[in-house]
Amino acid sequence: VVRTLFIENVKELMIGSAMRAVGGRMPYSVVKKFESELCRYTGSKYAVTVNSCTMGLLIVCAYLRLKIGTQTVSVPRYTYCSVPQAILLSGHRLAFRDESWLGLYRLDPLPVFDCARILTGKMFRPETFMVLSFHWTKHLKIGLGGAILHDDDEADPLFRRMRFDGRAENVEPKYDTFP
């Protein structure tokens, strides 16, 4: 029941807000509300929405490479093809492992979980980065998109800039300054 109510609330938020968006501008308030609802539902401190699960994995892996250095990251041999690409593009090394998985798996040894196939209440695990997918074949079928669930105070402002190509939220590009 909780899951159904969550999905219905999110659909109403996204569809209703999309209908009210004017002038092609990004409806930042809608994004904030959606992220807040994701946090409430999953138990995460932060939710940073992105254009895909793949982009979320790339952002998190790149952040961790800068923070802890290059790692050899292993993933199940049978995963979506963009996951290994995100690992390599972020500067890490790649290894495959034989693992049957259902719903989520870890990008080992990183504290990162590919959660493209799962979305449940209170699913967040502290001190991790859990990356969701909103592709139409997944649990929250809103077409495209994803989110990074996390509780890292240092990472959050960086992730928010990274998702907007380095721009600040709610600032017209011509007025933005880059740190």
Side-chain angles (χ1 to χ4, degrees), residues 13-14 17-18 20-37 47-50 159-176 178:
L13 175 67
M14 299 303 284
S17 298
R20 291 186 293 276
V22 293
R25 294 192 175 147
M26 177 68 166
Y28 293 98
S29 63
V30 175
V31 173
K32 292 284 187 200
K33 288 177 187 175
F34 178 50
E35 290 173 345
S36 177
E37 185 66 16
V48 180
T49 52
V50 291
F159 290 172
R160 292 182 187 285
R161 275 203 175 260
M162 291 169 82
R163 74 168 166 192
F164 288 122
D165 300 325
R167 296 189 315 268
E169 294 179 0
N170 211 18
V171 176
E172 293 289 329
K174 65 183 176 182
Y175 300 115
D176 200 0
F178 295 90

Side-chain angles (χ1 to χ4, degrees), residues 10-158:
V10 166
K11 284 182 180 177
E12 174 60 29
L13 175 67
M14 299 303 284
I15 292 168
S17 298
M19 298 298 283
R20 291 186 293 276
V22 293
R25 294 192 175 147
M26 177 68 166
Y28 293 98
S29 63
V30 175
V31 173
K32 292 284 187 200
K33 288 177 187 175
F34 178 50
E35 290 173 345
S36 177
E37 185 66 16
L38 274 173
C39 288
R40 188 190 63 73
Y41 181 67
T42 63
S44 177
K45 183 175 182 179
Y46 300 111
V48 180
T49 52
V50 291
N51 65 349
S52 68
C53 182
T54 302
M55 182 55 70
L57 290 170
L58 178 60
I59 288 171
V60 172
C61 288
Y63 168 74
L64 290 171
R65 184 182 57 79
L66 294 174
K67 186 170 180 155
I68 63 174
T70 301
Q71 304 290 313
T72 298
V73 179
S74 74
V75 295
R77 186 172 309 283
Y78 296 104
T79 186
Y80 190 63
C81 60
S82 69
V83 176
Q85 293 301 316
I87 292 166
L88 293 171
L89 285 171
S90 68
H92 292 288
R93 295 177 297 274
L94 175 65
F96 290 105
R97 63 181 185 262
D98 292 320
E99 175 185 340
S100 294
W101 59 276
L102 183 64
L104 76 158
Y105 62 85
R106 185 174 176 181
L107 281 65
D108 197 35
L110 302 178
V112 180
F113 288 86
D114 179 350
C115 300
R117 293 270 172 207
I118 191 168
L119 178 59
T120 60
K122 305 303 176 202
M123 69 181 276
F124 181 70
R125 300 176 186 182
E127 299 181 10
T128 69
F129 302 91
M130 302 182 84
V131 186
L132 307 174
S133 174
F134 306 139
H135 188 269
W136 66 271
T137 63
K138 308 296 172 44
H139 293 281
L140 185 55
K141 304 169 188 308
I142 57 176
L144 293 174
I148 304 165
L149 305 177
H150 70 97
D151 57 3
D152 187 322
D153 296 333
E154 180 183 334
D156 195 65
L158 298 173

